[in-house]
């Protein structure tokens, strides 16, 4: 993965290798399915309509990953937490789903994971062909060398939050699934299973991208 | 230089920036508390504090460090309704946040 920032406009160009693109698309798609299956909805959630709905869940989710995404709002008060959950959870869920849909769209994919046809007019899709690479280093190379990156996305500041929120959702879900408590826990290092090791590498990848976008967003504030 | 963080429930916090101070002290006062989750990046928590609350860079950073080192921090105080809106927004960002009633 390569990320470059255009200083004045705070635009970020993210160049992904094929396996990275596949991973990110796969994760976003899984997150989307995960959220929507929990809420029992189809692939076209409307956050505004959802927030007007009565009758969201009252019980905290059984799934530890969902509890990380939708935590109790009142520490030690199940009744108050249930009331809060019933009025907010669906809207929160649909906004997270919408963010994931838009990230997928920027990567050039539909919510179901199929690739969109390449189109400049496609709203939200910002993939740039290698010949348009803007960095000085890329300009010195032959255009064919940029084929090592299978996907290049340009994020403008208006895109930052949907990416930050989606990457954060992914990290919370993965950490809950694998039981990773802290990346800096030295004792835990020895005890990690291969599955946890693989998950930690994914966490590092997502975290690196998240950190870069966040630092850029902070500068742009 | 706010004393909103970790205020003693038995005392009224003295800070010019708490909207809760303007209310009748006999009304309930509530806090928004953010909890450490070992996953969220420090940079991201700082960003959320700056973006959502409009805190200065220094204040956002200090509150983030408090969450990180002490496990939690009070980030806002006021009416229950205001705090509920903050908590919902913070959940939207992926932070662990709760409402806490301050005993008068």
């Amino acid at each position: 993965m390569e990320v470059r920032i255009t200083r004045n406009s705070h635009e970020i160009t993210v160049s992904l290798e094929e396996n990275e693109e596949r991973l990110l698309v796969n994760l976003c798609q899984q997150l989307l399915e995960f959220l929507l299956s929990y809420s029992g909805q189809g692939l076209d959630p409307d956050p505004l309509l959802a927030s007007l709905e009565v009758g969201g869940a009252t019980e905290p989710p059984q799934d530890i990953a969902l509890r990380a995404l939708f935590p109790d709002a009142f520490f030690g008060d199940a009744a108050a937490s249930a009331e809060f959950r019933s009025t907010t959870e669906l809207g929160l869920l649909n906004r997270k789903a919408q963010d994931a849909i838009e990230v997928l769209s920027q990567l050039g994919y539909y919510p179901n994971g199929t690739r969109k046809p390449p189109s400049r007019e496609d709203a939200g899709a910002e993939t740039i062909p290698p010949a348009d690479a803007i960095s000085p280093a890329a300009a010195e190379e032959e255009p064919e060398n940029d084929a090592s990156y299978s996907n290049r996305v340009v994020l403008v500041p208006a895109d930052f939050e949907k990416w930050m929120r989606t990457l954060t959702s992914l990290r919370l879900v993965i950490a809950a699934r694998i039981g990773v408590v802290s990346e800096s826990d030295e004792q835990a290092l020895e005890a990690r299973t291969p599955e946890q090791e693989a998950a930690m590498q994914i966490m590092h990848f997502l975290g690196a991208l998240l950190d870069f976008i966040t630092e850029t967003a902070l500068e742009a504030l | 230089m706010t004393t909103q963080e970790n205020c003693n429930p038995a005392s009224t916090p003295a800070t010019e920036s708490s909207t809760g101070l303007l209310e009748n002290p006999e009304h309930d006062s509530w806090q928004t508390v953010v909890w450490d989750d070992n996953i969220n990046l420090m940079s991201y928590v700082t960003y959320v504090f700056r973006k959502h609350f409009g805190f200065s860079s220094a204040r956002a950073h200090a509150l983030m460090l408090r969450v990180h080192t002490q496990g939690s921090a009070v980030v806002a105080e006021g009416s229950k309704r205001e705090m509920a809106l903050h908590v919902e927004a913070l959940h939207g960002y992926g932070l662990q946040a709760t409402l806490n009633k301050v005993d008068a």
Side-chain angles (χ1 to χ4, degrees):
Chain A
M1 172 173 65
E2 199 173 75
V3 279
R4 293 198 178 123
I5 177 173
T6 309
R7 288 269 162 221
N8 293 334
S9 63
H10 296 108
E11 286 184 5
I12 299 173
T13 303
V14 182
S15 304
L16 297 170
E17 295 172 19
E18 188 183 341
N19 62 324
E20 292 169 336
E21 177 189 358
R22 223 175 321 123
L23 172 67
L24 198 49
V25 168
N26 208 349
L27 288 174
C28 287
Q29 205 215 327
Q30 283 182 53
L31 175 66
L32 192 55
E33 285 176 9
F34 177 59
L35 290 170
L36 298 180
S37 73
Y38 171 57
S39 71
Q41 298 175 78
L43 276 177
D44 191 17
D46 184 318
L48 178 59
L49 282 181
S51 67
L52 297 176
E53 281 185 45
V54 180
T58 53
E59 292 294 311
Q62 296 281 356
D63 188 328
I64 186 176
L66 288 167
R67 282 207 301 280
L69 292 179
F70 307 110
D72 278 344
F74 291 82
F75 192 76
D77 187 341
S81 292
E83 187 191 352
F84 184 91
R85 185 177 298 282
S86 72
T87 57
T88 63
E89 190 179 75
L90 205 48
L92 284 169
L93 185 148
N94 282 329
R95 277 191 289 275
K96 289 178 201 280
Q98 192 61 40
D99 285 342
I101 288 172
E102 290 180 25
V103 168
L104 277 167
S105 177
Q106 280 205 272
L107 287 164
Y109 288 79
Y110 292 114
N112 65 5
T114 58
R115 192 187 284 259
K116 293 183 175 185
S119 164
R120 287 268 192 181
E121 291 75 37
D122 204 343
E126 298 287 349
T127 49
I128 296 179
D132 290 344
I134 55 174
S135 66
E140 291 166 8
E141 297 170 359
E142 294 296 317
E144 299 87 81
N145 289 348
D146 286 339
S148 62
Y149 291 121
S150 74
N151 199 325
R152 178 170 285 131
V153 190
V154 174
L155 310 183
V156 298
D159 299 323
F160 291 171
E161 278 208 6
K162 73 186 83 153
W163 280 75
M164 291 192 283
R165 284 201 252 244
T166 300
L167 291 166
T168 292
S169 292
L170 288 175
R171 284 169 50 87
L172 287 171
V173 170
I174 291 170
R177 281 271 175 274
I178 303 298
V180 172
V181 176
S182 169
E183 297 191 21
S184 61
D185 191 336
E186 291 302 319
Q187 277 189 325
L189 282 172
E190 282 83 41
R192 280 185 196 148
T193 65
E195 195 184 30
Q196 286 178 322
E197 274 299 332
M200 286 307 293
Q201 288 187 25
I202 294 174
M203 290 285 283
H204 283 311
F205 168 70
L206 298 173
L209 181 55
L210 171 60
D211 201 39
F212 196 96
I213 298 173
T214 302
E215 293 291 351
T216 309
L218 279 165
E219 283 179 29
L221 273 179
Chain B
M1 281 281 300
T2 176
T3 59
Q4 281 186 342
E5 300 93 330
N6 298 334
C7 65
N8 184 337
S11 68
T12 306
T15 166
E16 70 285 352
S17 54
S18 168
T19 56
L21 281 185
L22 300 180
E23 296 175 353
N24 186 327
E26 288 177 21
H27 288 173
D28 289 341
S29 183
W30 289 77
Q31 298 169 330
T32 299
V33 179
V34 172
W35 300 84
D36 190 22
D37 58 22
N38 287 319
I39 302 301
N40 271 309
L41 299 181
M42 291 165 67
S43 58
Y44 182 65
V45 174
T46 304
Y47 169 84
V48 173
F49 287 169
R50 289 197 58 193
K51 179 70 194 296
H52 176 71
F53 292 109
F55 293 158
S56 68
S57 181
R59 184 160 179 216
H61 191 76
L63 283 170
M64 175 278 294
L65 280 177
R66 186 178 295 262
V67 171
H68 184 67
T69 60
Q70 301 195 17
S72 70
V74 177
V75 295
E77 184 155 340
S79 70
K80 187 178 180 185
R81 173 162 170 72
E82 286 171 339
M83 299 303 101
L85 291 173
H86 287 318
V87 167
E88 184 181 0
L90 292 169
H91 287 184
Y93 280 109
L95 269 58
Q96 307 289 311
T98 58
L99 292 96
N100 184 48
K101 183 176 165 188
V102 180
D103 295 326

